[in-house]
Amino acid sequence: MIISPGRRYVFVHIPKTGGTALTLALEARARADDILIADTPKARARRHRLARLSPAGRLHKHATLADAAGVVPDDLSGWFVLTLVRNPWDRALSYYQWLQAQRFAHPAVALSQRLGFSPFLNHPLIRAGFADWPVSAYTRDAAGVDRLTRAVRLERLATDLHDCHWPGDAKVAGWWLWGQCSWIGSGWCDWFGQVPHASNAGMGVQAIGQIPHASDAGRGDEAMMTSCGRTAW
C-alpha cells in the first residue's frame, strides 16, 4: 500500500496481482511525506515512520482501505484510489504456486502441497476465500463505501494506466512494471555508471521520432542497466 497525501492518491495492493512491481515504480518517485507500506527498499527504509500512525487496522502491504482509516482522510473526495487486478485464473495459479513454496502452518499451504491445481481451486476452503475477498473488500473505506477510482488490469497496462487525472507518472510506472515482470535474473536495479549515448545531433534524445543511438559498444543499449532497469524505447 502507498498513501500519498501530497498527490492525494492511495495504491491498494491486492495479493498476487503484480503489485510489488508497481510499488517499486511508484516509490522511485515518492515524495518525502508519502507513506510506503511494503517490503520494497524505500518502504523498508521508512518503516520506522509507521509507528507514529494510528490506523484502524493492521498496516501491511496488503492492507485494505478500511485498515488504513485514521491514516487516510475520512472524506476521500478528490483522492485517486488505485489497485491492480489480474486475470482470475492467472492469479489463482500464482497463489497456488506461491503456497507450494511456503513452510508456515496454514490450511491453504497444506492443501496446495497435497492437491493438484484443479482440486485445490475447487476445494470449499479456497473457493470461500476467493469469494470473501473480491476487489471491493480491499477498496471499501471504514464506512463500507467502495472508493475505487481505477482498477488497472495487469494485462492492459498501456490503456488502463493512461489517465490524465491520475496523479502518478503512468508511463514510467507502466514501463517499470512491464520490465519487472519480463526481467530474468538479478540486476534490475544495478547501476553501472553509464547512461545511453545521446550527445550527437540528430541522435539519442536529440532525435525526434527516432530511436536513440545504440550501436557503439558500452553505449546505447549496452549501457541500459541504470537505476530504472533496462530501458525500452
Side-chain angles (χ1 to χ4, degrees):
M1 172 176 274
I2 295 178
I3 302 169
S4 178
R7 293 191 174 102
R8 296 167 65 85
Y9 81 85
V10 180
F11 169 53
V12 180
H13 182 177
I14 296 175
K16 316 314 292 181
T17 58
T20 298
L22 185 55
T23 298
L24 283 165
L26 294 172
E27 77 166 25
R29 302 171 69 83
R31 292 190 174 190
D33 62 343
D34 282 357
I35 301 167
L36 309 176
I37 310 159
D39 296 326
T40 49
K42 191 174 287 188
R44 286 196 297 267
R46 297 188 183 186
R47 188 166 290 166
H48 64 281
R49 303 182 186 182
L50 302 182
R52 309 170 192 165
L53 306 177
S54 300
R58 185 172 73 89
L59 286 184
H60 57 102
K61 70 176 183 178
H62 298 308
T64 68
L65 200 58
D67 289 330
V71 180
V72 298
D74 292 334
D75 182 7
L76 284 167
S77 301
W79 280 61
F80 197 98
V81 178
L82 167 76
T83 195
L84 271 175
V85 294
R86 187 178 185 181
N87 179 292
W89 179 270
D90 291 339
R91 181 172 177 244
L93 181 59
S94 177
Y95 177 54
Y96 172 72
Q97 293 173 331
W98 177 80
L99 286 171
Q100 288 185 309
Q102 305 310 308
R103 295 294 177 264
F104 58 86
H106 190 278
V109 173
L111 286 171
S112 73
Q113 296 171 358
R114 179 168 57 86
L115 301 175
F117 179 56
S118 181
F120 167 84
L121 194 59
N122 286 284
H123 192 280
L125 178 70
I126 303 304
R127 295 182 64 172
F130 280 117
D132 289 344
W133 286 94
V135 171
S136 60
Y138 291 91
T139 56
R140 286 193 293 261
D141 63 15
V145 178
D146 190 353
R147 295 291 187 172
L148 182 64
T149 308
R150 176 61 54 88
V152 174
R153 296 166 293 179
L154 184 62
E155 300 81 9
R156 296 288 185 272
L157 286 174
T159 53
D160 289 359
L161 280 174
H162 184 69
D163 188 329
C164 62
H165 299 295
W166 184 46
D169 189 328
K171 186 173 290 187
V172 169
W175 277 117
W176 187 290
L177 182 55
W178 173 84
Q180 283 281 82
C181 293
S182 302
W183 189 250
I184 298 174
S186 62
W188 172 253
C189 294
D190 289 354
W191 170 251
F192 289 170
Q194 293 179 298
V195 296
H197 177 64
S199 59
N200 295 348
M203 297 191 296
V205 295
Q206 310 292 337
I208 305 301
Q210 302 178 46
I211 61 172
H213 176 65
S215 59
D216 296 345
R219 300 190 291 185
D221 64 358
E222 305 292 333
M224 285 293 111
M225 292 296 295
T226 66
S227 58
C228 59
R230 185 177 294 275
T231 304
W233 276 286

